[in-house]
Amino acid sequence: MVDINIVNAVPEKGFLDLPVSPDLDLFAEIEKLKKEKNAIVLAHYYQEADIQDIADYIGDSLGLAQAAEKTDADIIVFAGVHFMAETAKILNPNKKVLLPDLNAGCSLSDSAPPALFADFKKAHPDHLVISYINCSAGIKALSDIICTSSNAEKIVSTIPDDQPIIFAPDRNLGAYLNKKTGRNMLLWNGACMVHEIFSIEKLLKLKAQYPNAKILAHPECEEALLKHADYIGSTTALLKYSTADSADTYIVATETGILHQMMKNAPDKTFIPAPPDNSCACNDCPHMKLNTLEKLYLCMKHEIPEITMDEQLRLAALKPIQRMLDISAQFGL
Ligand code: 13P
Ligand code: SF4
């Protein structure tokens, strides 16, 4: 029996752990809840396959922010991590935004605590701040423009050459952009735990085993890996490339969730996850994978955990996000 008070409570563990009957058809139940509540499920490519399959929209960080901006649903269920759901809330103050597990954070976002970043920014008062969307609302509020891996290069290109820039929080994406654009942006020293786990030695051994395979890599990876990549791009860009390209085998250096869509789009091709530097499943993002179909169902049923935000913080964080969305629209992204 569910305690009635649970409906208004933020679950202590960050997610509801009520028993779910194994006889329940969760796919059917979630579809029913979507209709009853006018709810939309947005899922990142790094979610488990079942969640991707039940989602109304699957995408990368930019696509998800754009989908959140456009939706007329009353409830946005965000199957992703906290900063993504927070971005959806910033764009939709009057909608209910749910995250199946509030503990689904992000190591990259955590690598930039707002108080420390505020000091860093103060020490460079002439710099404009471009922040990767993988950061907290507090960092967004301290930023001039947000970017994602899909639009970062274009966003940087809109800034006059003589304008000094701070890029935060991902040092790897920042270094990649500096190389591509010839800029010398000042980089915050943050990184994603998943994209730094790959072993170059094992990658090269795998490449020797599959000499015709193309290496696909996300720009959150370190330069030492990126230099071996045949193609570098956001999750959406990697997916599009692998679908359209003529090779038959790919070694994929990003979180393994994307392989689900890659295999769906090109069932005759072979996709191999790039190997981590030990035998763990470390290229599964532990934060993304906290969401499960059961938690998704429970969160839709009880409408918790919900993302809430101070209005002043929301307005400050909205400005640089809106600037990103406007620039992306100008470039047709
Ligand atoms: P994109 O969604 O922009 O490809 O970024 C990947 C990522 O790490 C999201 O957390
Ligand atoms: Fe954060 Fe990395 Fe996980 Fe993406 S893959 S959510 S950047 S920890």
Side-chain angles (χ1 to χ4, degrees), residues 178-213:
N178 274 345
K179 211 169 160 194
K180 285 241 32 172
T181 61
R183 305 280 305 218
N184 186 22
M185 297 189 294
L186 189 57
L187 309 181
W188 180 262
N189 191 17
C192 159
M193 61 194 281
V194 178
H195 288 89
E196 288 206 330
I197 204 76
F198 300 112
S199 156
I200 309 295
E201 198 188 322
K202 288 187 191 169
L203 177 77
L204 294 178
K205 272 191 192 150
L206 197 59
K207 173 76 183 170
Q209 224 179 310
Y210 298 92
N212 296 326

Side-chain angles (χ1 to χ4, degrees), residues 46 81 83 105-108 134 192-195 220 285 287-288:
Y46 295 165
V81 290
F83 76 81
C106 167
S107 64
L108 180 50
N134 298 37
C192 159
M193 61 194 281
V194 178
H195 288 89
E220 286 177 27
C285 172
H287 309 289
M288 286 277 182

Side-chain angles (χ1 to χ4, degrees), residues 90 136-146 309-322:
I90 293 166
S136 63
I139 295 292
K140 289 186 174 80
L142 292 166
S143 306
D144 296 293
I145 317 182
I146 299 302
M309 197 177 302
D310 169 80
E311 181 60 6
Q312 242 182 322
L313 173 64
R314 187 190 75 79
L315 289 172
L318 176 62
K319 259 202 214 162
I321 296 174
Q322 200 56 60

Side-chain angles (χ1 to χ4, degrees), residues 44 46 60-61 83-84 132 134 149 218 220 234-235 288:
H44 192 270
Y46 295 165
D60 68 356
S61 303
F83 76 81
M84 296 178 172
Y132 190 36
N134 298 37
S149 55
H218 195 281
E220 286 177 27
S234 70
T235 43
M288 286 277 182

Side-chain angles (χ1 to χ4, degrees), residues 7 9 26 63 72 79 88 90 118 145 242 245 250 264 276 286 304 311 330:
V7 176
L26 289 179
D72 54 9
I90 293 166
I145 317 182
S242 67
D245 183 58
Y250 300 87
K264 261 180 143 177
I304 43 175
E311 181 60 6
Q330 276 167 27

Side-chain angles (χ1 to χ4, degrees), residues 62 66 70 150-152 154-155 325 327-333:
L62 178 63
Q66 290 167 328
K70 278 186 210 128
S150 272
N151 60 19
K154 287 274 192 297
I155 300 269
L325 292 171
I327 295 172
S328 299
Q330 276 167 27
F331 282 102
L333 297 169

